[in-house]
Amino acid sequence: SATSVANRLRERLRSLPCSAMYGTITVSVGLARYRTTEDAGELVRRADELLYRAKARGRDRIEVDGLDGLGTM
């Protein structure tokens, strides 16, 4: 799933050796599933809102739009 891929990417980047030089690398992700009733702009808007929610809740997180019941990681 997209959530699994995003989580593996987040964990992989956090463990890179360059973290010792630059500090811990964090990744915040907002995942929104396309709805057939929306256009691309609406999909991007929802994903962007989820990204900012992830950052506001402490960064290094994944926020999912809830259609798949996963919520926050």
Side-chain angles (χ1 to χ4, degrees):
S1 73
T3 305
S4 297
V5 171
N7 200 41
R8 284 194 312 269
L9 174 65
R10 186 180 62 79
E11 291 173 356
R12 186 98 186 243
L13 288 172
R14 188 175 34 195
S15 67
L16 287 176
C18 65
S19 293
M21 184 184 304
Y22 298 108
T24 302
I25 297 171
T26 63
V27 175
S28 298
V29 177
L31 291 177
R33 181 180 294 168
Y34 174 71
R35 298 174 182 165
T36 57
T37 58
E38 70 185 353
D39 61 21
E42 180 64 17
L43 172 65
V44 171
R45 185 195 64 74
R46 289 188 303 108
D48 195 48
E49 284 180 7
L50 291 162
L51 170 62
Y52 282 99
R53 183 189 307 165
K55 290 180 177 186
R57 291 183 175 175
R59 299 182 182 247
D60 201 31
R61 304 172 59 87
I62 301 167
E63 292 285 335
V64 181
D65 73 354
L67 286 177
D68 56 5
L70 294 177
T72 302
M73 294 192 85

